[in-house]
Amino acid sequence: MTHVVTEGCVHCKYAECITYCPVACFREADTFLVIDPLECIDCGNCVQACPTDAIYPEEELPDELAAALEWNARLSTALPLATTRVQPLADADAWNGTPDKWRSLPPEQAPALG
């Protein structure tokens, strides 16, 4: 099993989770993070560290966020490793809690939504 970053991270990227990960499984885009499912050891440290509640264990992923599983797996092969905490995006607080943030991403970064 793996942990999965969901759309709650999009346009926020608080990134506290990076410092709690013992295996460096996070990958970084300009406006969000994803978890590499091949590197994640399912420790769960990141879940409690995320201020937007954007990270779930795979087996607890809500149906409405199921696209995040494919999204994390696909983008983790294309994005660089995130090894240090970065500053949240300047407008992170304004985006926090906004619905349908995946639709604001460029097509190549968006998940396949049903």
Side-chain angles (χ1 to χ4, degrees), residues 16-100:
E16 281 91 342
C17 51
I18 294 170
T19 61
Y20 286 82
C21 181
V23 294
C25 68
F26 283 90
R27 302 295 187 262
E28 183 177 10
D30 290 341
T31 63
F32 60 86
L33 302 168
V34 294
I35 292 175
D36 183 337
L38 299 176
E39 297 295 328
C40 179
I41 60 170
D42 205 27
C43 70
N45 293 346
C46 56
V47 175
Q48 295 171 346
C50 179
T52 64
D53 298 323
I55 304 173
Y56 291 82
E58 178 181 351
E59 63 274 10
E60 295 177 21
L61 191 61
D63 290 341
E64 65 271 14
L65 298 174
L69 193 57
E70 175 275 334
W71 185 61
N72 280 249
R74 177 173 48 87
L75 292 180
S76 67
T77 64
L79 295 173
L81 184 63
T83 57
T84 59
R85 182 174 174 206
V86 295
Q87 291 298 313
L89 300 178
D91 57 351
D93 291 339
W95 278 98
N96 191 3
T98 301
D100 297 322

